[in-house]
Amino acid sequence: MPALPRPQRRRLLLITLLLGLVLYAWQLGSTGLVDETPPLFAASARAMAETGDWLIPRVNGLPRYDKPPLVYWLMGLVYALPGQDQWNPLGTWAARFPSALAAIGVMLALADTLLRWPQPPSAGRVPGAVAVRPGLTALTAALAFGLSPLALAWGRTAVSDSLFSGLVALALLLCWQAYADPARPWWLPWPVLGLAVLTKGPVAGVLLAITLLLFGWLQADIAGLWRRLQPLRGLALTALVALPWYLLALHSEGRPFWDSFFGYHNLQRFTEVVNRHLQPWWFFLPVMLVASLPVSPLLLVGLARAIGPLRRSWCPTLPHPPAASLARFAACWLLAVLLFFTAAATKLPSYWLPATPAAALLVALAAQTAWTGGGGRPWERWAWGLSLLLVTGLGLVFLAARLWLPLINDPEMPTLAAELDGSPLVPLVAACWLLAALLGWLCRRRRPPLRLLALQLPLVLFVPTALLPLWSVGDRLRGEPVRRMAAALQREGRPGEPVAMVGVLKPSLHYYGRRVVIYEGIGVEGPINLAERLRRERRAGQQPSPPDAQPTVLVVIDQTTARAPFWRHLGASEIASAGVYRLWRLDRRRLEASVAQLRRNGIAPDWQAPRPERY
């Protein structure tokens, strides 16, 4: 199918950009950082901008080896802009910028690919199928990604996942374009892959390799794929982009960097369960369905069609023409993510994020097909009806929110259920979803993909009118108390007085308080660890000291931990409170006396035990 005329492509890309800005840039900095991981990224990036050390990320006085530097560099460049207190007071605009930029970039890349290389319906293999309006197909693909619950969550969060997934998506789309169109440069995907390796490590190359191998096998054209992409020369370009930082980091940090980044954050996460993220082997199957709500049935149709039936001898099917093979490529892309992370011992929902652009392509290509007469299998014809039932059901669930809101029980937000019950936001959520269902039912007999777009547009409206205000409620109840504690630290702290947080651990206290914070958990060994760390632990910004030199310590503690006997009897004076948190000034001599008693009871410190993710 021919590409759309350039003026039409530009108009549709502009519309896609505007939709992306609504979904991902609107009120990007209006709420604070979400604990527990985003403040670590933000603090590291801000430290780069303030200290001028752009080689190794550092947070809370310690090096942070968990991710390569590209996401920190992008955040840090925004933090380096002047006037942060005026236009970025919560620090989140700068920290979330790379995630939002990547999400909008993926929407544009998906739309541009389908505008330049429109795909025939199911590669022409569905009897009675008619393809209509490839421009609308491009818009629905962009929105299928942009409205994915997974993409929305991580596209507005200050971590590296959205940037990594966006760069992997761009590299893979460029690979397919180079294969589909001989006029496209073969080398374009490989520097982008290098940037992905600079975002999260060598897993980017693994995902690309599995995708290309699966696609070459199913397409029965591994030789043609190899000739077009020239992977050996391409990987040299990837190494040229990514390798210098790794070599400099190894030279600067040595064995600790090697053991932490390659040993723990890459090899060990794949071969062993870390941080108790143990999940069953089928974990990513429900994640796949949830990530594509409410059109998950269309994803299954698109996936089944794109793979196609295999011969009994397990030989690949006949190849599609390269320019008509995008659906098959997207299916291999999705399966590569599924297979790789299913094999990994550690499983997290965010690991599915690299597959969401592929899922969006499959949804849009499945939805662009209309059947006339008896065309298509019955379950394919039912997919649209099931999607509408899902939208209707979700709208009714929100409409009946008063029945289930009392079941919400979050210790950090004890008043959440009551606030939502008296708020118009939950009925507004229900209205958006029921409007989407109504338009979907009214347009169900229209020629696709207009009916999918009719369902998606009310959900675009749902994000700024309901979802973001709900996010603000959560931030006010969960995040603002920590920011108030951070302000109290700056207000009440004495020169050189150390700071600790025990119980519920919030890295945003370090970010907003601009103080090195000693973090200790809820265990009975906490007082012993704290006393020893004040005496012995050394990190940038925190020097060890005896009680005679620094007789007090400021302690932020949550109200549940404060009732534990080994903290309650220390005689601390409370000087501030906010939400579930209390700010204590604790006499270190009293702490030392309590520690001596704990030692006599057989309690031993464990703060020196190896902890790869210390902060």
Side-chain angles (χ1 to χ4, degrees), residues 79-124:
Y79 276 119
L81 298 176
Q84 295 281 324
D85 292 339
Q86 285 71 44
W87 61 271
N88 189 32
L90 295 176
T92 44
W93 204 99
R96 293 171 180 164
F97 168 74
S99 297
L101 179 67
I104 296 171
V106 170
M107 291 179 66
L108 290 169
L110 292 174
D112 184 64
T113 300
L114 285 168
L115 292 172
R116 289 173 179 268
W117 295 273
Q119 299 296 294
S122 301

mmCIF file of all heavy atoms in Angstrom, residues 79-124:
data_model
loop_
_atom_site.group_PDB
_atom_site.id
_atom_site.type_symbol
_atom_site.label_atom_id
_atom_site.label_comp_id
_atom_site.label_asym_id
_atom_site.label_seq_id
_atom_site.Cartn_x
_atom_site.Cartn_y
_atom_site.Cartn_z
ATOM 1 N N TYR A 79 17.855 19.795 35.233
ATOM 2 C CA TYR A 79 18.161 20.348 36.550
ATOM 3 C C TYR A 79 19.193 21.478 36.458
ATOM 4 O O TYR A 79 19.244 22.344 37.334
ATOM 5 C CB TYR A 79 18.687 19.266 37.484
ATOM 6 C CG TYR A 79 17.610 18.457 38.162
ATOM 7 C CD1 TYR A 79 17.506 17.072 37.966
ATOM 8 C CD2 TYR A 79 16.699 19.057 39.008
ATOM 9 C CE1 TYR A 79 16.528 16.328 38.585
ATOM 10 C CE2 TYR A 79 15.711 18.316 39.632
ATOM 11 C CZ TYR A 79 15.629 16.959 39.422
ATOM 12 O OH TYR A 79 14.646 16.221 40.041
ATOM 13 N N ALA A 80 20.020 21.457 35.423
ATOM 14 C CA ALA A 80 21.044 22.498 35.282
ATOM 15 C C ALA A 80 20.472 23.824 34.807
ATOM 16 O O ALA A 80 21.170 24.847 34.859
ATOM 17 C CB ALA A 80 22.132 22.025 34.311
ATOM 18 N N LEU A 81 19.225 23.843 34.341
ATOM 19 C CA LEU A 81 18.616 25.094 33.905
ATOM 20 C C LEU A 81 18.367 26.007 35.100
ATOM 21 O O LEU A 81 18.025 25.531 36.187
ATOM 22 C CB LEU A 81 17.300 24.814 33.171
ATOM 23 C CG LEU A 81 17.400 23.987 31.882
ATOM 24 C CD1 LEU A 81 16.016 23.711 31.318
ATOM 25 C CD2 LEU A 81 18.270 24.693 30.850
ATOM 26 N N PRO A 82 18.502 27.301 34.947
ATOM 27 C CA PRO A 82 18.316 28.215 36.081
ATOM 28 C C PRO A 82 16.847 28.372 36.452
ATOM 29 O O PRO A 82 15.942 28.048 35.677
ATOM 30 C CB PRO A 82 18.899 29.537 35.560
ATOM 31 C CG PRO A 82 18.764 29.451 34.079
ATOM 32 C CD PRO A 82 18.931 28.007 33.731
ATOM 33 N N GLY A 83 16.619 28.890 37.672
ATOM 34 C CA GLY A 83 15.267 29.204 38.134
ATOM 35 C C GLY A 83 14.446 28.004 38.529
ATOM 36 O O GLY A 83 13.211 28.035 38.431
ATOM 37 N N GLN A 84 15.073 26.922 39.007
ATOM 38 C CA GLN A 84 14.335 25.710 39.368
ATOM 39 C C GLN A 84 13.247 25.983 40.408
ATOM 40 O O GLN A 84 12.163 25.409 40.343
ATOM 41 C CB GLN A 84 15.311 24.655 39.905
ATOM 42 C CG GLN A 84 16.319 24.139 38.898
ATOM 43 C CD GLN A 84 15.734 23.106 37.962
ATOM 44 O OE1 GLN A 84 14.907 22.301 38.347
ATOM 45 N NE2 GLN A 84 16.158 23.135 36.716
ATOM 46 N N ASP A 85 13.518 26.840 41.389
ATOM 47 C CA ASP A 85 12.545 27.092 42.452
ATOM 48 C C ASP A 85 11.258 27.704 41.923
ATOM 49 O O ASP A 85 10.196 27.545 42.533
ATOM 50 C CB ASP A 85 13.153 28.024 43.517
ATOM 51 C CG ASP A 85 14.275 27.352 44.291
ATOM 52 O OD1 ASP A 85 14.320 26.108 44.290
ATOM 53 O OD2 ASP A 85 15.102 28.067 44.880
ATOM 54 N N GLN A 86 11.334 28.405 40.800
ATOM 55 C CA GLN A 86 10.147 29.052 40.252
ATOM 56 C C GLN A 86 9.334 28.111 39.361
ATOM 57 O O GLN A 86 8.116 28.002 39.514
ATOM 58 C CB GLN A 86 10.542 30.301 39.442
ATOM 59 C CG GLN A 86 10.952 31.501 40.286
ATOM 60 C CD GLN A 86 12.293 31.305 40.962
ATOM 61 O OE1 GLN A 86 13.240 30.819 40.338
ATOM 62 N NE2 GLN A 86 12.389 31.686 42.230
ATOM 63 N N TRP A 87 9.997 27.413 38.430
ATOM 64 C CA TRP A 87 9.237 26.620 37.471
ATOM 65 C C TRP A 87 9.268 25.121 37.735
ATOM 66 O O TRP A 87 8.527 24.368 37.109
ATOM 67 C CB TRP A 87 9.720 26.904 36.046
ATOM 68 C CG TRP A 87 11.179 26.567 35.801
ATOM 69 C CD1 TRP A 87 12.243 27.375 35.974
ATOM 70 C CD2 TRP A 87 11.699 25.309 35.330
ATOM 71 N NE1 TRP A 87 13.409 26.720 35.649
ATOM 72 C CE2 TRP A 87 13.106 25.452 35.247
ATOM 73 C CE3 TRP A 87 11.125 24.091 34.971
ATOM 74 C CZ2 TRP A 87 13.934 24.408 34.825
ATOM 75 C CZ3 TRP A 87 11.950 23.064 34.552
ATOM 76 C CH2 TRP A 87 13.336 23.235 34.477
ATOM 77 N N ASN A 88 10.086 24.686 38.685
ATOM 78 C CA ASN A 88 10.181 23.261 38.988
ATOM 79 C C ASN A 88 10.310 23.057 40.498
ATOM 80 O O ASN A 88 11.238 22.406 40.968
ATOM 81 C CB ASN A 88 11.395 22.662 38.255
ATOM 82 C CG ASN A 88 11.446 21.147 38.348
ATOM 83 O OD1 ASN A 88 10.418 20.481 38.406
ATOM 84 N ND2 ASN A 88 12.653 20.605 38.377
ATOM 85 N N PRO A 89 9.388 23.621 41.309
ATOM 86 C CA PRO A 89 9.584 23.628 42.760
ATOM 87 C C PRO A 89 9.579 22.243 43.387
ATOM 88 O O PRO A 89 10.251 22.016 44.399
ATOM 89 C CB PRO A 89 8.409 24.469 43.274
ATOM 90 C CG PRO A 89 7.381 24.383 42.195
ATOM 91 C CD PRO A 89 8.149 24.293 40.915
ATOM 92 N N LEU A 90 8.846 21.298 42.812
ATOM 93 C CA LEU A 90 8.805 19.941 43.374
ATOM 94 C C LEU A 90 9.872 19.032 42.767
ATOM 95 O O LEU A 90 9.998 17.881 43.177
ATOM 96 C CB LEU A 90 7.416 19.327 43.155
ATOM 97 C CG LEU A 90 6.266 20.026 43.894
ATOM 98 C CD1 LEU A 90 4.940 19.390 43.513
ATOM 99 C CD2 LEU A 90 6.481 19.956 45.405
ATOM 100 N N GLY A 91 10.616 19.544 41.790
ATOM 101 C CA GLY A 91 11.691 18.761 41.185
ATOM 102 C C GLY A 91 11.236 17.694 40.228
ATOM 103 O O GLY A 91 12.061 16.982 39.642
ATOM 104 N N THR A 92 9.928 17.567 40.024
ATOM 105 C CA THR A 92 9.440 16.432 39.247
ATOM 106 C C THR A 92 9.419 16.705 37.748
ATOM 107 O O THR A 92 9.440 15.762 36.956
ATOM 108 C CB THR A 92 8.022 16.050 39.709
ATOM 109 O OG1 THR A 92 7.238 17.240 39.882
ATOM 110 C CG2 THR A 92 8.072 15.322 41.028
ATOM 111 N N TRP A 93 9.331 17.986 37.337
ATOM 112 C CA TRP A 93 9.326 18.244 35.899
ATOM 113 C C TRP A 93 10.632 17.756 35.290
ATOM 114 O O TRP A 93 10.635 17.063 34.267
ATOM 115 C CB TRP A 93 9.127 19.740 35.623
ATOM 116 C CG TRP A 93 8.554 20.005 34.274
ATOM 117 C CD1 TRP A 93 7.267 20.268 33.977
ATOM 118 C CD2 TRP A 93 9.264 19.988 33.023
ATOM 119 N NE1 TRP A 93 7.105 20.424 32.623
ATOM 120 C CE2 TRP A 93 8.318 20.268 32.000
ATOM 121 C CE3 TRP A 93 10.580 19.780 32.652
ATOM 122 C CZ2 TRP A 93 8.662 20.340 30.666
ATOM 123 C CZ3 TRP A 93 10.924 19.844 31.307
ATOM 124 C CH2 TRP A 93 9.974 20.119 30.337
ATOM 125 N N ALA A 94 11.741 18.109 35.915
ATOM 126 C CA ALA A 94 13.039 17.675 35.395
ATOM 127 C C ALA A 94 13.189 16.165 35.482
ATOM 128 O O ALA A 94 13.694 15.523 34.550
ATOM 129 C CB ALA A 94 14.163 18.359 36.171
ATOM 130 N N ALA A 95 12.747 15.572 36.591
ATOM 131 C CA ALA A 95 12.955 14.143 36.800
ATOM 132 C C ALA A 95 12.083 13.291 35.876
ATOM 133 O O ALA A 95 12.480 12.198 35.461
ATOM 134 C CB ALA A 95 12.679 13.785 38.262
ATOM 135 N N ARG A 96 10.892 13.777 35.556
ATOM 136 C CA ARG A 96 9.976 13.001 34.719
ATOM 137 C C ARG A 96 10.127 13.305 33.235
ATOM 138 O O ARG A 96 9.511 12.629 32.397
ATOM 139 C CB ARG A 96 8.532 13.277 35.145
ATOM 140 C CG ARG A 96 8.197 12.744 36.531
ATOM 141 C CD ARG A 96 6.844 13.222 37.009
ATOM 142 N NE ARG A 96 6.536 12.709 38.341
ATOM 143 C CZ ARG A 96 5.584 13.191 39.121
ATOM 144 N NH1 ARG A 96 4.835 14.204 38.701
ATOM 145 N NH2 ARG A 96 5.371 12.671 40.316
ATOM 146 N N PHE A 97 10.911 14.312 32.903
ATOM 147 C CA PHE A 97 11.044 14.722 31.514
ATOM 148 C C PHE A 97 11.494 13.582 30.593
ATOM 149 O O PHE A 97 10.891 13.376 29.527
ATOM 150 C CB PHE A 97 12.008 15.914 31.422
ATOM 151 C CG PHE A 97 12.447 16.244 30.024
ATOM 152 C CD1 PHE A 97 11.572 16.855 29.142
ATOM 153 C CD2 PHE A 97 13.729 15.947 29.594
ATOM 154 C CE1 PHE A 97 11.976 17.169 27.847
ATOM 155 C CE2 PHE A 97 14.140 16.252 28.313
ATOM 156 C CZ PHE A 97 13.258 16.865 27.426
ATOM 157 N N PRO A 98 12.548 12.804 30.925
ATOM 158 C CA PRO A 98 12.946 11.733 29.998
ATOM 159 C C PRO A 98 11.855 10.693 29.771
ATOM 160 O O PRO A 98 11.679 10.205 28.644
ATOM 161 C CB PRO A 98 14.173 11.111 30.681
ATOM 162 C CG PRO A 98 14.686 12.173 31.593
ATOM 163 C CD PRO A 98 13.475 12.903 32.064
ATOM 164 N N SER A 99 11.099 10.351 30.832
ATOM 165 C CA SER A 99 10.034 9.350 30.682
ATOM 166 C C SER A 99 8.938 9.862 29.771
ATOM 167 O O SER A 99 8.462 9.138 28.878
ATOM 168 C CB SER A 99 9.464 8.994 32.059
ATOM 169 O OG SER A 99 10.441 8.395 32.881
ATOM 170 N N ALA A 100 8.495 11.103 29.992
ATOM 171 C CA ALA A 100 7.435 11.659 29.155
ATOM 172 C C ALA A 100 7.909 11.829 27.718
ATOM 173 O O ALA A 100 7.166 11.534 26.761
ATOM 174 C CB ALA A 100 6.984 13.001 29.733
ATOM 175 N N LEU A 101 9.141 12.297 27.539
ATOM 176 C CA LEU A 101 9.689 12.472 26.192
ATOM 177 C C LEU A 101 9.711 11.139 25.444
ATOM 178 O O LEU A 101 9.350 11.069 24.260
ATOM 179 C CB LEU A 101 11.095 13.053 26.286
ATOM 180 C CG LEU A 101 11.838 13.279 24.965
ATOM 181 C CD1 LEU A 101 11.158 14.382 24.160
ATOM 182 C CD2 LEU A 101 13.304 13.637 25.235
ATOM 183 N N ALA A 102 10.133 10.084 26.116
ATOM 184 C CA ALA A 102 10.195 8.777 25.464
ATOM 185 C C ALA A 102 8.809 8.275 25.087
ATOM 186 O O ALA A 102 8.608 7.720 23.993
ATOM 187 C CB ALA A 102 10.890 7.781 26.393
ATOM 188 N N ALA A 103 7.818 8.445 25.983
ATOM 189 C CA ALA A 103 6.468 7.969 25.687
ATOM 190 C C ALA A 103 5.880 8.704 24.486
ATOM 191 O O ALA A 103 5.279 8.087 23.594
ATOM 192 C CB ALA A 103 5.579 8.140 26.921
ATOM 193 N N ILE A 104 6.033 10.031 24.458
ATOM 194 C CA ILE A 104 5.537 10.796 23.310
ATOM 195 C C ILE A 104 6.293 10.387 22.042
ATOM 196 O O ILE A 104 5.706 10.274 20.958
ATOM 197 C CB ILE A 104 5.668 12.300 23.581
ATOM 198 C CG1 ILE A 104 4.784 12.700 24.760
ATOM 199 C CG2 ILE A 104 5.298 13.108 22.345
ATOM 200 C CD1 ILE A 104 5.012 14.116 25.246
ATOM 201 N N GLY A 105 7.590 10.159 22.165
ATOM 202 C CA GLY A 105 8.382 9.730 21.014
ATOM 203 C C GLY A 105 7.913 8.404 20.448
ATOM 204 O O GLY A 105 7.880 8.208 19.221
ATOM 205 N N VAL A 106 7.528 7.462 21.314
ATOM 206 C CA VAL A 106 7.022 6.172 20.838
ATOM 207 C C VAL A 106 5.704 6.367 20.086
ATOM 208 O O VAL A 106 5.480 5.761 19.027
ATOM 209 C CB VAL A 106 6.847 5.194 22.011
ATOM 210 C CG1 VAL A 106 6.093 3.942 21.568
ATOM 211 C CG2 VAL A 106 8.202 4.790 22.577
ATOM 212 N N MET A 107 4.825 7.206 20.623
ATOM 213 C CA MET A 107 3.559 7.469 19.919
ATOM 214 C C MET A 107 3.822 8.013 18.512
ATOM 215 O O MET A 107 3.201 7.570 17.535
ATOM 216 C CB MET A 107 2.720 8.459 20.732
ATOM 217 C CG MET A 107 2.182 7.904 22.037
ATOM 218 S SD MET A 107 1.203 9.109 22.985
ATOM 219 C CE MET A 107 -0.207 9.331 21.888
ATOM 220 N N LEU A 108 4.749 8.951 18.390
ATOM 221 C CA LEU A 108 5.066 9.517 17.078
ATOM 222 C C LEU A 108 5.710 8.478 16.168
ATOM 223 O O LEU A 108 5.417 8.421 14.957
ATOM 224 C CB LEU A 108 5.996 10.716 17.247
ATOM 225 C CG LEU A 108 5.361 11.965 17.881
ATOM 226 C CD1 LEU A 108 6.431 12.977 18.236
ATOM 227 C CD2 LEU A 108 4.334 12.579 16.935
ATOM 228 N N ALA A 109 6.602 7.644 16.722
ATOM 229 C CA ALA A 109 7.279 6.634 15.900
ATOM 230 C C ALA A 109 6.297 5.588 15.387
ATOM 231 O O ALA A 109 6.385 5.157 14.217
ATOM 232 C CB ALA A 109 8.392 5.969 16.715
ATOM 233 N N LEU A 110 5.349 5.165 16.220
ATOM 234 C CA LEU A 110 4.351 4.202 15.765
ATOM 235 C C LEU A 110 3.485 4.800 14.657
ATOM 236 O O LEU A 110 3.234 4.153 13.627
ATOM 237 C CB LEU A 110 3.478 3.771 16.947
ATOM 238 C CG LEU A 110 4.150 2.949 18.036
ATOM 239 C CD1 LEU A 110 3.192 2.720 19.200
ATOM 240 C CD2 LEU A 110 4.630 1.608 17.497
ATOM 241 N N ALA A 111 3.022 6.038 14.889
ATOM 242 C CA ALA A 111 2.176 6.663 13.876
ATOM 243 C C ALA A 111 2.941 6.874 12.574
ATOM 244 O O ALA A 111 2.421 6.594 11.479
ATOM 245 C CB ALA A 111 1.646 7.997 14.417
ATOM 246 N N ASP A 112 4.176 7.350 12.665
ATOM 247 C CA ASP A 112 4.950 7.611 11.455
ATOM 248 C C ASP A 112 5.202 6.334 10.666
ATOM 249 O O ASP A 112 5.145 6.327 9.430
ATOM 250 C CB ASP A 112 6.275 8.271 11.844
ATOM 251 C CG ASP A 112 7.105 8.656 10.624
ATOM 252 O OD1 ASP A 112 6.645 9.510 9.849
ATOM 253 O OD2 ASP A 112 8.193 8.072 10.450
ATOM 254 N N THR A 113 5.475 5.237 11.357
ATOM 255 C CA THR A 113 5.720 3.964 10.665
ATOM 256 C C THR A 113 4.490 3.527 9.877
ATOM 257 O O THR A 113 4.590 3.107 8.715
ATOM 258 C CB THR A 113 6.114 2.885 11.685
ATOM 259 O OG1 THR A 113 7.312 3.284 12.365
ATOM 260 C CG2 THR A 113 6.360 1.551 11.000
ATOM 261 N N LEU A 114 3.304 3.625 10.489
ATOM 262 C CA LEU A 114 2.094 3.193 9.801
ATOM 263 C C LEU A 114 1.662 4.177 8.723
ATOM 264 O O LEU A 114 0.959 3.797 7.779
ATOM 265 C CB LEU A 114 0.972 3.005 10.826
ATOM 266 C CG LEU A 114 1.099 1.733 11.667
ATOM 267 C CD1 LEU A 114 0.140 1.752 12.836
ATOM 268 C CD2 LEU A 114 0.871 0.490 10.808
ATOM 269 N N LEU A 115 2.049 5.442 8.853
ATOM 270 C CA LEU A 115 1.729 6.405 7.797
ATOM 271 C C LEU A 115 2.615 6.215 6.573
ATOM 272 O O LEU A 115 2.175 6.389 5.438
ATOM 273 C CB LEU A 115 1.887 7.830 8.336
ATOM 274 C CG LEU A 115 0.874 8.270 9.394
ATOM 275 C CD1 LEU A 115 1.275 9.614 9.973
ATOM 276 C CD2 LEU A 115 -0.527 8.332 8.803
ATOM 277 N N ARG A 116 3.869 5.851 6.789
ATOM 278 C CA ARG A 116 4.791 5.654 5.671
ATOM 279 C C ARG A 116 4.619 4.279 5.030
ATOM 280 O O ARG A 116 4.834 4.119 3.829
ATOM 281 C CB ARG A 116 6.232 5.815 6.151
ATOM 282 C CG ARG A 116 6.619 7.254 6.494
ATOM 283 C CD ARG A 116 8.003 7.275 7.119
ATOM 284 N NE ARG A 116 8.444 8.612 7.457
ATOM 285 C CZ ARG A 116 9.149 9.405 6.662
ATOM 286 N NH1 ARG A 116 9.498 8.983 5.460
ATOM 287 N NH2 ARG A 116 9.504 10.603 7.053
ATOM 288 N N TRP A 117 4.293 3.277 5.845
ATOM 289 C CA TRP A 117 4.143 1.912 5.333
ATOM 290 C C TRP A 117 2.800 1.347 5.793
ATOM 291 O O TRP A 117 2.747 0.471 6.666
ATOM 292 C CB TRP A 117 5.284 1.014 5.825
ATOM 293 C CG TRP A 117 6.622 1.420 5.305
ATOM 294 C CD1 TRP A 117 7.197 1.048 4.131
ATOM 295 C CD2 TRP A 117 7.563 2.301 5.947
ATOM 296 N NE1 TRP A 117 8.426 1.621 3.994
ATOM 297 C CE2 TRP A 117 8.692 2.397 5.091
ATOM 298 C CE3 TRP A 117 7.594 3.007 7.145
ATOM 299 C CZ2 TRP A 117 9.803 3.173 5.408
ATOM 300 C CZ3 TRP A 117 8.688 3.784 7.469
ATOM 301 C CH2 TRP A 117 9.779 3.864 6.604
ATOM 302 N N PRO A 118 1.684 1.830 5.232
ATOM 303 C CA PRO A 118 0.371 1.289 5.622
ATOM 304 C C PRO A 118 0.320 -0.219 5.368
ATOM 305 O O PRO A 118 0.859 -0.714 4.373
ATOM 306 C CB PRO A 118 -0.609 2.042 4.725
ATOM 307 C CG PRO A 118 0.130 3.283 4.310
ATOM 308 C CD PRO A 118 1.573 2.890 4.215
ATOM 309 N N GLN A 119 -0.325 -0.922 6.285
ATOM 310 C CA GLN A 119 -0.359 -2.376 6.207
ATOM 311 C C GLN A 119 -1.692 -2.863 5.660
ATOM 312 O O GLN A 119 -2.757 -2.398 6.089
ATOM 313 C CB GLN A 119 -0.129 -2.979 7.589
ATOM 314 C CG GLN A 119 1.223 -2.620 8.189
ATOM 315 C CD GLN A 119 2.374 -3.181 7.374
ATOM 316 O OE1 GLN A 119 2.563 -4.392 7.278
ATOM 317 N NE2 GLN A 119 3.154 -2.287 6.776
ATOM 318 N N PRO A 120 -1.671 -3.783 4.709
ATOM 319 C CA PRO A 120 -2.923 -4.372 4.239
ATOM 320 C C PRO A 120 -3.559 -5.187 5.356
ATOM 321 O O PRO A 120 -2.876 -5.635 6.276
ATOM 322 C CB PRO A 120 -2.474 -5.270 3.073
ATOM 323 C CG PRO A 120 -1.046 -5.576 3.366
ATOM 324 C CD PRO A 120 -0.486 -4.360 4.049
ATOM 325 N N PRO A 121 -4.875 -5.394 5.315
ATOM 326 C CA PRO A 121 -5.558 -6.117 6.399
ATOM 327 C C PRO A 121 -5.061 -7.542 6.511
ATOM 328 O O PRO A 121 -5.190 -8.336 5.578
ATOM 329 C CB PRO A 121 -7.034 -6.067 6.000
ATOM 330 C CG PRO A 121 -7.011 -5.863 4.518
ATOM 331 C CD PRO A 121 -5.807 -5.025 4.239
ATOM 332 N N SER A 122 -4.443 -7.840 7.673
ATOM 333 C CA SER A 122 -3.928 -9.188 7.939
ATOM 334 C C SER A 122 -3.078 -9.702 6.806
ATOM 335 O O SER A 122 -3.106 -10.879 6.462
ATOM 336 C CB SER A 122 -5.071 -10.159 8.215
ATOM 337 O OG SER A 122 -5.814 -9.733 9.308
ATOM 338 N N ALA A 123 -2.295 -8.803 6.205
ATOM 339 C CA ALA A 123 -1.436 -9.142 5.068
ATOM 340 C C ALA A 123 -2.235 -9.784 3.944
ATOM 341 O O ALA A 123 -1.760 -10.627 3.201
ATOM 342 C CB ALA A 123 -0.299 -10.056 5.507
ATOM 343 N N GLY A 124 -3.520 -9.390 3.860
ATOM 344 C CA GLY A 124 -4.361 -9.896 2.769
ATOM 345 C C GLY A 124 -4.826 -11.313 2.957
ATOM 346 O O GLY A 124 -5.303 -11.927 2.030
#
